Amino acid sequence: MAGVSRMPLGSLASVDIEPVQLVDPDGTPTAEHRYSRDLPAETLCWLYEMMVVARDLDAEFVNLQRQGELALYTPCQGQEAAQVGAAACLRKTDWLIPQYRELGAYLVRGIPPGHVGAAWRGTWCGGLEFTKKCCAPMSVPIGTQTLHAVGAAMAAQRLGEDSVTVAFLGDGATSEGDVHEALNFAAVFATPCVFYVQNNQWAISMPVSRQTAAPSIAHKAIGYGMPGIRVDGNDVLACYAVMAEAAARARAGAGPALIEAVTYRLGPHTTADDPTRYRSQEEVDRWLALDPIPRYRTYLRGQGLFSERLESRVAARSKRMRAELRDAVVDAPDFDIDDVFTMVYAEMTPGLRAQREQLRAELARAD
Ligand SMILES: Cc1ncc(C[n+]2csc(CCOP(=O)(O)OP(=O)(O)O)c2C)c(N)n1
Ligand SMILES: [Mg+2]
């Protein structure tokens, strides 16, 4: 497969603290030789397109929240390379198990933006449509999705399928007990599951320095007996190459891996957050200089692949998808409150029935 090195994924006894980087922040190729940047020109341009469209759609989501169409949204600005690179190298039948900030991965997988909008609008089917594209609905209870991912990977293993499951999680999630159980189970049973930690430096207002005393999040892999690897999460080609290697390894039956993509959340944690209360503008500026999109644009230009034609194709797609999102979300009907109770089990339990009656009575009083 293009972009995959022939070398095994690191060593089980050590983790390189230097993240894998294929494109320097100035847009020139690095001296990295274990991984290849060799992808077809069409793929290289598509990665750019996906990153730009993800950023534009992300801005549209924030606008929709500000206009009262969505209660909440979790911006992914700054993390486009980490998400696009990781999702782009997978097969359509590989399962994506997201946390909640993975717009770039949904986009690459072909999930219509309106379906992501429905999920943030809180309609009953919000997220259910994702499963048609082998992507689980978003998961807000931090870390729980990693257990689902290991379960899905074990199911594929038992069914003799050759699909790989990728669990997306954040730096903060790695402090959760659930994640320990998921990593341990995955390693003991050699499940085809890749744990992809987007270390965006913050878990709401808690810095990553408070999440672990280990040298890095990737180092935790050593204790579980799986390879751990750090990658520059603002370098789309490095994220692509490292995930491609981990997925190929898992597909071949060699078990899970833990990837730490070192990146930064440029925006707020959610649309309800004010990050100026806990981090400095100087820190944000330092990461803005490492913005994955201009870096990759410079790289493409250096390769002779960037053109006005590409820029206008990307702009047209972005415009189309933003309009698609707005059309799906603006003035969409509210859901029927009964669905909260009727859609959980095939048959409602007595407890759910009682809760429904209680809510109905409260709503009637409020009217
Ligand atoms: C089990 C649980 N505990 C606490 C929360 C509140 N909470 C929501 S997001 C978040 C931070 C998660 O940080 P991280 O895993 O780094 O992901 P990021 O938001 O940075 O992408 C917390 C603590 C939650 N949703 N679930
Ligand atoms: Mg985080």
Side-chain angles (χ1 to χ4, degrees):
M1 194 192 302
V4 183
S5 107
R6 298 271 164 231
M7 299 277 289
L9 242 195
S11 141
L12 289 183
S14 69
V15 170
D16 198 344
I17 196 79
E18 255 334 291
V20 174
Q21 192 179 69
L22 293 177
V23 177
D24 190 88
D26 72 6
T28 57
T30 63
E32 170 69 52
H33 59 275
R34 284 171 302 151
Y35 294 89
S36 160
R37 290 169 208 82
D38 260 350
L39 292 171
E42 197 185 310
T43 308
L44 291 170
C45 294
W46 175 66
L47 293 172
Y48 176 74
E49 184 167 341
M50 289 292 99
M51 286 204 286
V52 173
V53 176
R55 177 155 303 182
D56 291 353
L57 272 176
D58 192 62
E60 196 65 53
F61 268 102
V62 174
N63 293 345
L64 286 164
Q65 193 281 333
R66 297 294 185 236
Q67 290 158 10
E69 297 288 346
L70 303 172
L72 188 79
Y73 177 68
T74 52
C76 69
Q77 191 196 354
Q79 298 179 224
E80 297 88 349
Q83 300 179 0
V84 168
C89 66
L90 300 171
R91 295 183 186 167
K92 284 187 163 51
T93 44
D94 290 335
W95 274 85
L96 306 177
I97 314 284
Q99 191 153 286
Y100 42 68
R101 203 184 294 286
E102 279 72 47
L103 180 67
Y106 311 141
L107 182 67
V108 166
R109 188 46 74 89
I111 295 169
H115 291 175
V116 185
W120 284 111
R121 214 177 148 87
T123 50
W124 73 264
C125 59
L128 203 59
E129 291 286 332
F130 291 26
T131 57
K132 290 183 182 156
K133 300 275 185 188
C134 293
C135 179
M138 292 186 257
S139 176
V140 172
I142 300 299
T144 53
Q145 77 281 8
T146 58
L147 290 164
H148 306 157
V150 176
M154 288 184 85
Q157 197 178 36
R158 283 168 190 225
L159 290 168
E161 292 172 357
D162 68 350
S163 71
V164 170
T165 302
V166 177
F168 288 83
L169 61 154
D171 44 295
T174 63
S175 300
E176 286 286 345
D178 282 355
V179 176
H180 157 66
E181 290 161 22
L183 286 161
N184 196 50
F185 230 81
V188 168
F189 293 98
T191 58
C193 186
V194 179
F195 296 87
Y196 191 69
V197 180
Q198 287 175 80
N199 172 3
N200 64 6
Q201 313 300 321
W202 293 92
I204 315 183
S205 56
M206 190 64 72
V208 67
S209 57
R210 300 292 297 277
Q211 300 297 348
T212 181
S216 79
I217 288 170
H219 278 78
K220 293 185 171 198
I222 298 170
Y224 292 103
M226 68 174 81
I229 188 154
R230 299 191 91 211
V231 60
D232 182 338
N234 286 9
D235 175 352
V236 69
L237 295 186
C239 293
Y240 185 105
V242 167
M243 178 59 87
E245 185 183 34
R249 187 180 175 280
R251 210 182 304 283
L258 173 59
I259 298 172
E260 176 185 355
V262 184
T263 182
Y264 194 74
R265 156 168 69 71
L266 286 171
H269 170 69
T270 69
T271 45
D273 174 44
D274 173 8
T276 63
R277 297 183 63 166
Y278 56 81
R279 66 185 193 186
S280 68
Q281 189 55 42
E282 186 260 321
E283 176 183 304
V284 178
D285 289 344
R286 235 179 321 117
W287 282 94
L288 263 174
L290 300 172
D291 189 325
I293 295 180
R295 178 200 301 203
Y296 189 55
R297 190 186 298 124
T298 309
Y299 176 76
L300 287 183
R301 197 169 274 134
Q303 300 298 305
L305 291 172
F306 192 78
S307 62
E308 293 216 345
R309 222 171 108 235
L310 173 63
E311 196 70 320
S312 51
R313 186 182 88 192
V314 172
R317 178 145 186 197
S318 169
K319 194 174 166 198
R320 210 168 54 241
M321 293 196 85
R322 286 173 80 142
E324 205 186 302
L325 172 63
R326 292 197 73 81
D327 287 349
V329 165
V330 176
D331 298 330
D334 282 334
F335 66 96
D336 182 348
I337 196 71
D338 255 24
D339 290 345
V340 172
F341 303 100
T342 57
M343 300 304 296
V344 183
Y345 300 108
E347 278 180 35
M348 250 198 294
T349 61
L352 277 178
R353 214 170 281 128
Q355 287 173 22
R356 181 171 71 170
E357 290 320 308
Q358 186 184 348
L359 182 65
R360 279 179 174 171
E362 281 178 25
L363 291 174
R365 268 201 304 281
D367 276 348

